[in-house]
Amino acid sequence: MRLTVIGTGYVGAVHAACLAELGHEVLGVDLDTERIAALAAGRPPFYEPGLGAMLRRTVDAGRLRFSGSLAEAAGFADTHFVCVGTPQLPDSGAADLRHVESAVTGLTAPLHRTPYDHVLIVGKSTVPVGTADRLARDLPAHAEIAWNPEFLREGCAVRDTLCPERIVAGVSSAWAEARLRQVYATLLEAGAPFIGTDPATAELVKLASNSFLATKVSFINAMSEICDATGADVLTLAAAMGADPRIGPRFLAPGLGFGGSCLPKDIRAFAARAEALGLGKSVAFLREVDEINTRQRRRTVEFARRLAGGTFTERHIAILGAAFKPDSDDIRDSAALAVAETIRRLGARVRVHDPEAVDNARAAHPALQYALDVAKACEQADVVLHLTEWPQYRELDPVALASVVRVPALLDTRHTLDTRAWRAAGWTVRAPGRPRLD
């Protein structure tokens, strides 16, 4: 099949490459000429394991190319995936739909001259419920809109696309469903579940799923606060809860909370849309979920202050992690960088290390200091904060690292380090929600 992907940011670039990997002929469209040039050369503009090799393979095979023209897209295929961003509006929690509206509007005009009798526009962007129905009103008679939400996790997006847990298709006609089944035929033959529904339900699936996952994260972090007050152990609590199959262990990982480009903005947008519908009370709990998540950052700063002797003035603080999650260079709404900036403003000298996100972090937070190796980041540190759970940090030698810091004090907010080994090496270790063992 011939397909277009409009918007080649994180979702669009991955989706375009994976569609080409499945054997389709794909045209990626974006107004950012530098991004288009990089992608056409097989260079993804962000770090995502496996994506670079797939881009080069599909571009070299001639199944994937890129353009800056929506008119070219309209003449290239009869099925168009819209993968542009929906950031949070600066003055509210609502989603900014300007990019989605611009993509659909920009495609509509040349659709009047398209050689195809029937055209399908497929939204993958995360949008408030009702967006598809509103956009459909201005489409030409031979075009219709469907919604096919993405469920990608940064760091394993290629695998999530090629081995999906489900494919949700919100359609208004049997033709549209058949078309999407044809797009994903290889995945369906491999056993991927296909859930056909209406566009409104498909829009809700993504927001409801992210809201539920965010609630699980904030719930266990709220329990971590209770554990700190009572001497209980949040890791044992989470394991015991997760052993119940009705609850499950996933997303019951206590720590610094969630960040990134999806969960924070999605729960705020969902709450804003519910309020616009007069149903704010139905999802009022999401405001508390958001507050609990934000509170973890403040709690982390306070834990670090105590480890630093009650003040950050004249203290050197080492930060391990800048990306919002491992296997990504994405720093959008990074809890790690939010903590680092707060500590810097409180008087500390802060040096940050991250395996992939240093360049992005430096561009966004130039007042922080950065190091390309962990030992340099920790040199003469009074406290080391473990804020992003990169697997490389689990391999650190606490004995060797103790020789470069000024004070061997560690705050493990992600609960992934072997704290017994660090304590045995002479470190004072704190982990929120866990009893003090030293």
Side-chain angles (χ1 to χ4, degrees):
M1 295 177 66
R2 281 186 149 201
L3 306 167
T4 77
V5 174
I6 300 169
T8 59
Y10 183 82
V11 172
V14 172
H15 191 60
C18 287
L19 288 176
E21 182 76 359
L22 292 173
H24 300 297
E25 188 177 348
V26 182
L27 177 68
V29 180
D30 203 295
L31 299 180
D32 188 330
T33 55
E34 290 186 4
R35 174 173 290 173
I36 287 295
L39 290 167
R43 299 192 308 271
F46 49 85
Y47 177 74
E48 178 62 35
L51 179 59
M54 181 180 292
L55 270 176
R56 291 186 290 273
R57 184 165 58 249
T58 54
V59 167
D60 290 346
R63 294 194 303 274
L64 177 60
R65 62 186 182 87
F66 298 92
S67 168
S69 170
L70 285 171
E72 182 180 358
F76 180 81
D78 64 358
T79 302
H80 310 275
F81 289 90
V82 175
C83 300
V84 296
T86 54
Q88 182 178 323
L89 285 168
D91 57 349
S92 73
D96 184 348
L97 299 179
R98 286 178 296 173
H99 301 303
V100 172
E101 293 164 352
S102 177
V104 174
T105 301
L107 187 62
T108 297
L111 283 182
H112 290 286
R113 301 183 298 276
T114 184
Y116 301 101
D117 294 331
H118 205 158
V119 174
L120 182 63
I121 299 174
V122 186
K124 292 197 73 68
S125 305
T126 302
V127 297
V129 60
T131 299
D133 286 346
R134 179 171 60 81
L135 294 173
R137 297 173 195 148
D138 297 323
L139 293 179
H142 70 298
E144 64 177 287
I145 199 160
W147 223 262
N148 170 218
E150 54 85 15
F151 300 102
L152 307 185
R153 297 167 296 167
E154 293 194 34
C156 48
V158 170
R159 184 175 71 230
D160 286 346
T161 302
L162 296 179
C163 303
E165 294 175 340
R166 77 280 207 200
I167 297 171
V168 176
V171 299
S172 301
S173 72
W175 178 84
E177 179 170 330
R179 196 69 177 155
L180 285 172
R181 285 184 177 275
Q182 187 178 359
V183 170
Y184 296 119
T186 301
L187 305 182
L188 298 180
E189 290 170 3
F194 186 96
I195 302 173
T197 184
D198 56 271
T201 303
E203 291 165 335
L204 271 174
V205 167
K206 177 62 183 290
L207 289 170
S209 296
N210 277 359
S211 296
F212 185 79
L213 295 176
T215 300
K216 287 188 74 173
V217 174
S218 283
F219 179 87
I220 199 61
N221 278 333
M223 294 304 101
S224 179
E225 296 182 46
I226 301 296
C227 288
D228 279 328
T230 61
D233 189 328
V234 71
L235 292 190
T236 303
L237 173 64
M241 290 177 60
D244 186 332
R246 297 170 300 175
I247 298 174
R250 297 180 67 183
F251 278 73
L252 278 183
L256 189 49
F258 53 81
S261 64
C262 290
L263 292 188
K265 78 172 182 69
D266 286 356
I267 63 172
R268 294 165 193 158
F270 196 11
R273 179 57 175 155
E275 288 168 1
L277 292 170
L279 298 170
K281 291 183 179 179
S282 299
V283 293
F285 69 92
L286 290 179
R287 301 294 188 191
E288 185 59 28
V289 167
D290 197 10
E291 165 56 24
I292 292 170
N293 188 63
T294 302
R295 193 160 64 235
Q296 303 317 302
R297 305 178 185 191
R298 300 195 295 267
R299 292 182 70 229
T300 297
V301 171
E302 185 53 35
F303 268 103
R305 191 204 308 265
R306 293 175 197 163
L307 272 175
T311 181
F312 288 121
T313 304
E314 301 299 320
R315 299 294 193 266
H316 291 202
I317 307 297
I319 302 289
L320 301 185
F324 88 95
K325 66 175 294 186
D327 292 321
S328 172
D329 63 355
D330 194 343
I331 62 165
R332 288 175 290 180
D333 201 7
S334 165
L337 286 175
V339 167
E341 275 287 7
T342 299
I343 291 175
R344 182 193 65 80
R345 289 194 297 269
L346 291 172
R349 179 183 176 187
V350 180
R351 190 179 290 133
V352 180
H353 173 271
D354 189 281
E356 295 291 341
V358 164
D359 289 343
N360 289 342
R362 183 183 285 113
H365 301 273
L368 297 171
Q369 298 180 27
Y370 298 90
L372 297 180
D373 65 83
V374 173
K376 185 64 177 177
C378 295
E379 194 173 84
Q380 292 299 301
D382 295 286
V383 183
V384 176
L385 275 61
H386 175 227
L387 302 185
T388 306
E389 62 274 32
W390 283 93
Q392 293 92 319
Y393 296 149
R394 293 198 294 270
E395 306 303 320
L396 292 174
D397 182 352
V399 174
L401 210 57
S403 67
V404 303
V405 299
R406 183 158 61 186
V407 180
L410 170 72
L411 179 60
D412 179 16
T413 69
R414 295 300 186 178
H415 303 286
T416 57
L417 303 182
D418 184 351
T419 56
R420 289 177 297 181
W422 286 76
R423 287 189 172 103
W427 289 73
T428 298
V429 180
R430 297 289 178 267
R434 305 211 68 197
R436 293 176 57 161
L437 302 177
D438 55 354

